[in-house]
Amino acid sequence: SVALNFPMENSKRCMHATVDGDQGRAKRQFAADVRKHIDAIATKYILPDEGTYDFALMYIPAENVYYEIIIKDDSTEEKSLSYYAMSKRVVPVSPNCFYAYLQAIVLGLKGMTIEQQAKEIIECLSRLQGDFARFRDEFGLLGKHLGHAQSSYQNAGKRIVQLGQKLVLGN
């Protein structure tokens, strides 16, 4: 089992080191710990084939640690921890921004729900449009039959009048 508690031990060493060499060593070790943590999160929680999302949040439990590894990271972009995390689709979040990320995710999920419902409504409207087209065709055919029936009725009425006149004249 992968332990997924954020690796704070070397962070504390890094912040409390007084000698530059010790601080550099602690900082490198802490960066390596964070990379391992990012890899563990990506491996354990980003499994779209199993129905997970294609990203994960990595909670960094202290603002000062978040600042040091994400904001103040003086590595080149490709070697920075934030770049590494994003390349693994792991989003680092601090206590202050965690709620904002969750709200953004909730809004995204609501948007996806609305989009799915809109698709269902469009499908229903499409079926309704097909039903209406069939009804319109049947209604037109019925009108045609009624027109023929009315014409036949009028023709029969004319023949009755003619037949009646022949009977009166023949008398």
Side-chain angles (χ1 to χ4, degrees):
S1 174
V2 179
L4 294 180
N5 293 326
F6 190 81
M8 289 293 290
E9 192 58 40
N10 281 321
S11 166
K12 293 174 187 171
R13 283 191 194 114
C14 183
M15 290 181 193
H16 297 302
T18 55
V19 179
D20 285 341
D22 291 344
Q23 188 177 30
R25 202 170 19 264
K27 195 172 189 176
R28 284 189 299 278
Q29 183 57 50
F30 178 58
D33 291 347
V34 172
R35 279 187 171 78
K36 286 179 193 171
H37 189 63
I38 291 167
D39 290 339
I41 290 171
T43 302
K44 186 167 184 170
Y45 294 112
I46 303 176
L47 305 166
D49 293 345
E50 295 181 19
T52 69
Y53 291 105
D54 64 348
F55 70 94
L57 300 179
M58 176 178 68
Y59 182 70
I60 301 172
E63 286 297 324
N64 62 337
V65 175
Y66 179 82
Y67 178 79
E68 287 294 323
I69 65 172
I70 302 302
I71 307 299
K72 194 178 170 193
D73 190 357
D74 55 1
S75 304
T76 63
E77 184 179 343
E78 293 83 25
K79 294 187 180 207
S80 71
L81 287 172
S82 61
Y83 182 85
Y84 183 76
M86 295 307 285
S87 73
K88 298 286 187 166
R89 305 201 48 85
V90 174
V91 180
V93 295
S94 71
N96 286 337
C97 68
F98 185 53
Y99 182 74
Y101 275 97
L102 289 179
Q103 286 296 357
I105 292 168
V106 166
L107 288 174
L109 292 174
K110 284 181 182 178
M112 287 172 57
T113 301
I114 290 169
E115 182 180 344
Q116 181 60 36
Q117 290 171 343
K119 283 181 183 178
E120 291 171 8
I121 290 170
I122 289 170
E123 287 172 9
C124 286
L125 289 174
S126 179
R127 284 192 303 270
L128 185 60
Q129 187 177 22
D131 292 345
F132 180 74
R134 282 188 296 281
F135 175 74
R136 185 184 57 227
D137 292 345
E138 290 172 8
F139 189 76
L141 184 61
L142 178 62
K144 210 183 256 187
H145 288 316
L146 286 175
H148 288 306
Q150 182 179 13
S151 176
S152 295
Y153 175 77
Q154 289 171 347
N155 289 338
K158 288 177 187 174
R159 282 197 307 263
I160 287 176
V161 169
Q162 288 173 350
L163 184 59
Q165 287 175 352
K166 284 182 183 178
L167 288 175
V168 171
L169 290 177
N171 252 344

